[in-house]
Amino acid sequence: HEGAIWAHTDTGLIRFNGTRWENIGEAWNFPQDVAHSGSTALFVDSHGTLWAGVNSTVLYLKQGSRRFEPTGVFAGWSVSMAETSDGTIWLADNNSYVRAISTSVSAKSAAIARCEVKSPGRTPSNCPKEGPMVIKVSVPIRLLLDRNGSLWITTDTSGVFRVSHPERLRGG
């Protein structure tokens, strides 16, 4: 929205400001020890907020700000994000979960996600109960939304899934 181009690289997050590429780091409150294999997801929502999956979590940068903020989300390797018409941001991680996220994630939601990610393929009985707005699907790769509001999930191993009204998952 501000004319910058953002990219994940092998050495971290970079930004083209219209004149040159700049490394994004401490001055932007962005971690320095970012492994490229830790995420590939970057997404700009309808409000101009930049979302970045990094080091098993997601950070966000509000339009006009120069400081990334933590969400508290715990995820595996974040691979894709999408926004529904109601403003809900969805995150797919490579550990078989697609979940709704926000700028403020509850401690319970973070604990659930952390437990699930550490036990891919099944949810152990010692994990807290699942919260709303979570879709389990084998190895999600991309999230897309169509003009009717359906959330499409492509996978590496199980084909394509469609959730016709993802907002109906709210509240169980």
Side-chain angles (χ1 to χ4, degrees), residues 6-72:
W6 295 82
H8 265 297
T9 70
D10 289 339
T11 59
L13 189 64
I14 60 174
R15 174 182 180 265
F16 186 73
N17 63 17
T19 306
R20 63 179 183 81
W21 288 97
E22 57 185 322
N23 290 315
I24 302 302
E26 233 174 283
W28 289 75
N29 194 37
F30 196 83
Q32 292 297 290
D33 58 341
V34 176
H36 178 66
S37 61
S39 177
T40 57
L42 285 176
F43 179 74
V44 178
D45 70 18
S46 61
H47 300 287
T49 299
L50 174 69
W51 299 79
V54 59
N55 294 353
S56 298
T57 191
V58 178
L59 305 175
Y60 67 94
L61 178 72
K62 289 191 175 180
Q63 186 173 2
S65 177
R66 292 181 89 71
R67 180 177 172 77
F68 279 88
E69 299 295 335
T71 60

Side-chain angles (χ1 to χ4, degrees), residues 83-147:
E83 179 182 15
T84 58
S85 61
D86 69 357
T88 302
I89 304 296
W90 287 86
L91 167 72
D93 72 46
N94 69 340
N95 286 318
S96 303
Y97 292 95
V98 176
R99 67 183 77 240
I101 63 171
S102 69
T103 56
S104 179
V105 173
S106 73
K108 181 180 179 184
S109 294
I112 291 167
R114 184 174 290 108
C115 186
E116 290 170 343
V117 167
K118 288 183 177 180
S119 308
R122 62 179 186 79
T123 302
S125 58
N126 62 346
C127 282
K129 293 278 188 231
E130 228 178 83
M133 309 285 276
V134 174
I135 303 165
K136 292 183 183 182
V137 60
S138 181
V139 196
I141 299 296
R142 293 287 173 260
L143 300 178
L144 302 164
L145 287 152
D146 67 22
R147 64 178 157 244

